[in-house]
Amino acid sequence: MGRSLFAKFLLVYALFGLLSFAVISTLISQLTLTHLTERKAEELYREANYISSNFVRGYYNGRPSPSLEPIHTQFQALDTYLNASIWLLDNNGTLLVDSKENLHLQDPELIQEFDPTDTGNSYYVIGSFYNYFSEKTLSVLSPVTYNFKINGYVVLHTPYAQLERDRDQILNLIYLSLLIILLLSLLILLLFTVSVYYPIKTITEAAGQYAEGNFHYAITLSSEDEIGRLADTMNYMAQELSDLDEYQKKFVANISHDFRSPLTSIKGYLEAMQDGTIPPEMQGKYLDILLRETERLNKLTSGLLTLNSFDTKKNRLDMTDFDINSVIKNTVSTFEQACTQKRITLDLIFDSKSLLVSADESKIQQVLYNLLDNAIKFSHNHSVITIETTAKHEKVFISVKDTGIGIPKESQKRIWERFYKTDLSRGKDKRGTGLGLSIVKEIVQSHGEHINVISTEGVGTEFIFTLPRVSREEA
């Protein structure tokens, strides 16, 4: 199992802290000490040049009986000010004056192996200065010149340990700053954990529940940021999946029920014919029943295929401009026999002789067919069905109104559901598929239009849908 996001952040945090301390204790420490050394050496070199020019050069100007006493006195005074030992060496390395010691004119000390060229391009050296000091020392050399000739050297010594102590003080401040940064980072990490990690963990757990089919698992997050909106979206998705799951179960149950009924009838009648229960002279009657049941299965299958084409968005519309009044007339003509049998009158009311719309003509004809089929099916004998078109602004309103049994109020919101049938519908016509109005709504919505129903039980029902109008100038 992989590390969690929180564990990775903790690991990165710990590595950042360790690497920071390691870099400070090595690279930053060395760079700081180098900087302090160069700055101190530059400062001492300026002082050495000043001493050489103002206090020592006169010793070599050729005056009779030059004395080192005044130089020694000046060196002792400057020693305290500069916090450094001040020497005067001749070219051979003989220590003529030492600010820390008394003046030894008769027996001057010789610095063994003294070689001013050892400094190379630099003007300072770090070490024991030819084994003279027991501790590490920073030594700065400034030549004493007279008549373009080097006569000696002013050398300033300061303990290197002081520079290291200055370095340590700076590093302590850096360490303290880093500690404060790490504490602030830890606070930020804790805030991240509370505001980001735990919400993400909650959402991840919810996603796992949804993957297992538990769509009733709710995410309880109250934040109003992107994570909060994600949680709300996940909750909404879960609710939609839950509804879809329930719908699928109901859908399968309805399909099973609606297919089982005609198949049971077909199977029963065929077995009865086969075993002789239905005599040959009566088989014609039952063959008509079998044909009707087969046609019902065919209609059910066709309806499912039509709805599936809309669900998978494979059903593209063939948009054309056509006269909706003409399509209504053609559709009405197909119901002439059914209307004659029930003595139903079809009343056509058109806003104008010709009314152009932009739509898929075959699909709209299917809408009109399904609406008229329903209207005739649930209308009383000797009643009137009114089909009306009205143009308003950029829309054409098409109305199919009957004076039949009506739709109960509690069922009006569900009539668009697939396989849904009201109790009145089931009693009136047991051969319906329950898909007609679902197909109607899918077709109308695929055109970007709307369809509404107005119905009163025992009075009648009116379906109204819209289509985009086409002016004759556009046509």
Side-chain angles (χ1 to χ4, degrees), residues 26 44 54 91 126 138 183 201 237 295 336 388 437 458:
T26 55
L44 293 178
N54 292 276
N91 289 334
I126 300 172
L138 171 65
L183 291 175
K201 184 179 180 181
M237 180 191 71
E295 181 61 28
E336 182 177 347
E388 183 178 0
L437 291 179

Side-chain angles (χ1 to χ4, degrees), residues 282-458:
M282 296 185 63
Q283 287 182 3
K285 172 186 175 182
Y286 291 100
L287 284 173
D288 290 338
I289 296 174
L290 291 175
L291 185 61
R292 286 197 299 270
E293 292 298 312
T294 304
E295 181 61 28
R296 180 183 171 193
L297 284 174
N298 184 56
K299 288 176 64 178
L300 186 61
T301 304
S302 298
L304 287 172
L305 290 174
T306 300
L307 287 172
N308 182 66
S309 67
F310 283 105
D311 287 344
T312 57
K313 297 182 180 180
K314 293 180 180 178
N315 197 321
R316 290 182 170 83
L317 300 176
D318 183 16
M319 302 294 289
T320 58
D321 297 342
F322 60 90
D323 181 12
I324 187 62
N325 295 345
S326 177
V327 173
I328 291 174
K329 290 176 184 178
N330 293 335
T331 307
V332 166
S333 65
T334 62
F335 290 95
E336 182 177 347
Q337 184 178 0
C339 290
T340 300
Q341 290 176 355
K342 297 185 69 173
R343 301 293 189 271
I344 293 175
T345 302
L346 294 177
D347 189 11
L348 305 183
I349 303 174
F350 296 148
D351 188 83
S352 60
K353 185 177 180 180
S354 177
L355 198 55
L356 294 180
V357 296
S358 177
D360 187 319
E361 185 173 354
S362 63
K363 297 281 190 305
I364 297 304
Q365 189 169 17
Q366 186 176 4
V367 169
L368 291 168
Y369 183 92
N370 288 356
L371 292 178
L372 277 171
D373 186 49
N374 266 10
I376 294 170
K377 189 184 300 181
F378 301 115
S379 288
H380 304 295
N381 294 340
H382 304 282
S383 61
V384 177
I385 295 176
T386 303
I387 302 123
E388 183 178 0
T389 60
T390 307
K392 292 183 179 179
H393 305 295
E394 304 299 324
K395 298 289 183 181
V396 173
F397 292 79
I398 300 97
S399 166
V400 178
K401 182 178 182 181
D402 65 59
T403 55
I405 61 176
I407 303 171
K409 187 175 181 180
E410 64 274 9
S411 299
Q412 290 181 19
K413 291 184 178 180
R414 300 190 60 192
I415 60 173
W416 311 110
E417 296 178 11
R418 301 174 186 185
F419 295 105
Y420 179 76
K421 297 179 182 179
T422 65
D423 293 336
L424 292 176
S425 171
R426 294 183 183 276
K428 188 74 175 177
D429 181 8
K430 299 182 182 296
R431 293 180 297 174
T433 63
L435 297 175
L437 291 179
S438 298
I439 294 172
V440 165
K441 187 171 185 179
E442 292 287 349
I443 292 175
V444 173
Q445 287 186 337
S446 70
H447 283 77
E449 300 297 327
H450 303 280
I451 184 168
N452 296 310
V453 61
I454 302 171
S455 184
T456 302
E457 192 173 353

Side-chain angles (χ1 to χ4, degrees), residues 94-154:
T94 301
L95 180 56
L96 302 177
V97 178
D98 182 357
S99 63
K100 297 292 186 184
E101 301 291 339
N102 293 325
L103 193 61
H104 302 285
L105 298 177
Q106 301 300 324
D107 187 22
E109 188 175 359
L110 178 65
I111 305 300
Q112 299 294 330
E113 300 180 359
F114 171 72
D115 184 358
T117 62
D118 290 342
T119 60
N121 295 328
S122 180
Y123 48 83
Y124 67 91
V125 292
I126 300 172
S128 61
F129 200 76
Y130 302 101
N131 299 318
Y132 185 87
F133 298 104
S134 59
E135 61 179 6
K136 199 173 183 180
T137 305
L138 171 65
S139 303
V140 177
L141 289 80
S142 176
V144 182
T145 59
Y146 184 76
N147 289 333
F148 305 102
K149 179 183 177 182
I150 297 177
N151 298 284
Y153 295 90
V154 173

Side-chain angles (χ1 to χ4, degrees), residues 102-261:
N102 293 325
L103 193 61
H104 302 285
L105 298 177
Q106 301 300 324
D107 187 22
E109 188 175 359
L110 178 65
I111 305 300
Q112 299 294 330
E113 300 180 359
F114 171 72
D115 184 358
T117 62
D118 290 342
T119 60
N121 295 328
S122 180
Y123 48 83
Y124 67 91
V125 292
I126 300 172
S128 61
F129 200 76
Y130 302 101
N131 299 318
Y132 185 87
F133 298 104
S134 59
E135 61 179 6
K136 199 173 183 180
T137 305
L138 171 65
S139 303
V140 177
L141 289 80
S142 176
V144 182
T145 59
Y146 184 76
N147 289 333
F148 305 102
K149 179 183 177 182
I150 297 177
N151 298 284
Y153 295 90
V154 173
V155 184
L156 275 66
H157 306 284
T158 188
Y160 201 69
Q162 181 59 47
L163 295 175
E164 292 175 336
R165 285 192 293 271
D166 293 342
R167 184 269 318 269
D168 292 341
Q169 290 179 354
I170 294 175
L171 290 183
N172 288 337
L173 292 176
I174 296 176
Y175 283 130
L176 180 60
S177 300
L178 177 61
L179 181 60
I180 294 173
I181 291 173
L182 290 175
L183 291 175
L184 291 175
S185 301
L186 182 61
L187 179 61
I188 293 173
L189 181 60
L190 292 176
L191 290 175
F192 168 82
T193 302
V194 174
S195 62
V196 178
Y197 172 71
Y198 284 126
I200 289 178
K201 184 179 180 181
T202 301
I203 292 174
T204 303
E205 291 175 355
Q209 292 290 329
Y210 300 154
E212 294 175 1
N214 181 17
F215 302 120
H216 298 290
Y217 186 90
I219 304 174
T220 55
L221 293 177
S222 58
S223 61
E224 297 181 358
D225 55 11
E226 288 80 358
I227 293 179
R229 290 195 290 273
L230 176 61
D232 293 338
T233 303
M234 292 283 287
N235 282 330
Y236 175 77
M237 180 191 71
Q239 183 61 45
E240 291 294 309
L241 289 174
S242 177
D243 294 343
L244 180 61
D245 187 55
E246 293 296 326
Y247 169 76
Q248 287 178 337
K249 292 177 181 177
K250 186 176 179 180
F251 183 78
V252 172
N254 285 332
I255 288 180
S256 300
H257 176 271
D258 281 26
F259 269 88
R260 187 185 298 115
S261 179

